Amino acid sequence: MRTDLFDFDLPPERIALRPASPRDSARMLVVENGALRDQIISDLPQWLRPGDQLVVNDTKVIAAQLKGRRIGRDTEPKIEATLIKRLDGSRWQALVKPAKKLAPGDRIRFGNEGKVCLLGHLDAEVEAKGTEGEVTLAFSFHGPALDQAIADLGSPPLPPYIASKRTPDDQDLADYQTMFAANEGAVAAPTAGLHFTPALEQALRDRCVGLNRVTLHVGAGTFLPVKVDDTEAHKMHAEWGTISAATAQRLNAARETGGRIVAVGTTSLRLLESAASEDGTIRPFAAETSIFITPGYRFRAIDILMTNFHLPKSTLFMLVSAFSGLATMKQAYAHAITQGYRFYSYGDACLLFRAVP
């Protein structure tokens, strides 16, 4: 499909720079069979039935944004790196700026004023360099020591549409992490999960709605726009995910008795769809997925999707258009813009019911 079909105009002031407080006071646009209803997140339980199963992503965002300088040559330009994929105990794939300042064999010394990491800094060698700013970094530390150094020296990699408008601060350490965060490995938050609070979780349990955890380590590819004219030519970045046998069994049992599967976020949806067989049975999963969902895709496992408002021409807007229909989602987003909904990671949410074929 043509990428420009998924474009729309978004006023810059609609981009949320801080989350709602409390988190479940954010707005929620319910989209069901073409009808639009303005609600808030705390209304979620009333839209679900006893026996429905929520699926949340329990990945934890790491401090993947590192700042340093190239060393060992005549000049020492500043370098910014965003870790995007762990390769082994000491090697990461990263996006770097400015990439043109680096070549294989160069060394980067990461460290921030006022932060101490073991010997005060963290060194890495550029092992390889790609064509779109990505490099392979071999760090001087390994395993838990490297993890601690990254935690000490790094900062959460806020999306560029927020970081370009204000400086990330200590408040983001809490704000850009869901209450479910447990398994470290993401470089972007599963943002639909940011809306949840203990009070909302209890209200869902009181409604006899199940809460299930899966893990998909969100990669920096979620920030990247689709640059090709046709979606067929776009390449998705692979992300690692896991679904336990117990979780798969619980979800399948619920579906057999009429319970609906509610994905909290596009990350949960993509993982579940990657693990689903043709008949919708969800299998245990522990692998990478690069599933790319566009209109025409036949959903096998998911009935309802809770998700934030996404970028124009993004893979995520394509996904929600596949789920609820392109015309419906354009209408929903136009309504959201005129009604002052807040967009993107710290913004409001949609509750989308799958379009009936």
Side-chain angles (χ1 to χ4, degrees), residues 25 53 59 80 88 119-120 134 138 147 172-173 187 191 208 213 215 226 233 242 268 275 283 291 341 343 348:
S25 68
Q53 299 294 315
T59 189
E80 293 186 8
D88 57 33
L119 298 177
E134 73 276 16
D147 295 343
D172 293 306
L173 296 175
V187 300
T191 54
C208 296
R213 298 176 182 233
T215 305
V226 177
T242 56
S268 297
R283 299 162 297 192
I291 189 172
Y341 277 74
F343 273 61
D348 299 316

Side-chain angles (χ1 to χ4, degrees), residues 86-287:
R86 182 191 292 276
L87 301 177
D88 57 33
S90 62
R91 295 159 65 247
W92 276 83
Q93 189 178 45
L95 295 173
V96 297
K97 294 188 302 184
K100 63 182 179 181
K101 296 288 187 180
L102 294 175
D106 281 344
R107 293 191 70 81
I108 307 171
R109 177 159 293 170
F110 296 108
N112 289 325
E113 198 71 34
K115 288 191 176 182
V116 178
C117 154
L118 300 181
L119 298 177
H121 58 260
L122 173 64
D123 287 0
E125 180 179 335
V126 178
E127 273 195 353
K129 185 176 178 182
T131 58
E132 297 185 7
E134 73 276 16
V135 300
T136 299
L137 296 177
F139 286 95
S140 53
F141 297 145
H142 185 277
L146 175 58
D147 295 343
Q148 187 60 55
I150 291 170
D152 288 346
L153 293 175
S155 59
L158 278 186
Y161 42 77
I162 295 176
S164 64
K165 294 178 180 292
R166 67 167 177 81
T167 302
D169 55 33
D170 288 345
Q171 185 61 42
D172 293 306
L173 296 175
D175 286 347
Y176 201 57
Q177 204 78 265
T178 74
M179 63 175 281
F180 309 110
N183 297 308
E184 290 191 340
V187 300
T191 54
L194 294 177
H195 297 293
F196 282 74
T197 64
L200 178 57
E201 181 180 7
Q202 186 59 52
L204 289 162
R205 294 194 186 283
D206 292 344
R207 181 71 168 162
C208 296
V209 172
L211 189 68
N212 307 269
R213 298 176 182 233
V214 297
T215 305
L216 182 73
H217 292 318
V218 191
T222 191
F223 297 152
L224 300 178
V226 177
K227 296 180 179 179
V228 293
D229 294 332
D230 193 296
T231 59
E232 295 269 340
H234 180 70
K235 182 181 178 182
M236 291 284 284
H237 286 244
E239 298 164 313
W240 179 265
T242 56
I243 301 173
S244 71
T247 297
Q249 183 179 26
R250 192 163 53 248
L251 294 176
N252 291 329
R255 292 181 84 234
E256 289 174 4
T257 56
R260 298 173 297 181
I261 306 301
V262 185
V264 177
T266 57
T267 60
S268 297
L269 181 148
R270 289 188 292 113
L271 180 58
L272 290 165
E273 288 293 320
S274 298
S277 58
E278 282 297 315
D279 66 357
T281 301
I282 298 167
R283 299 162 297 192
F285 189 90

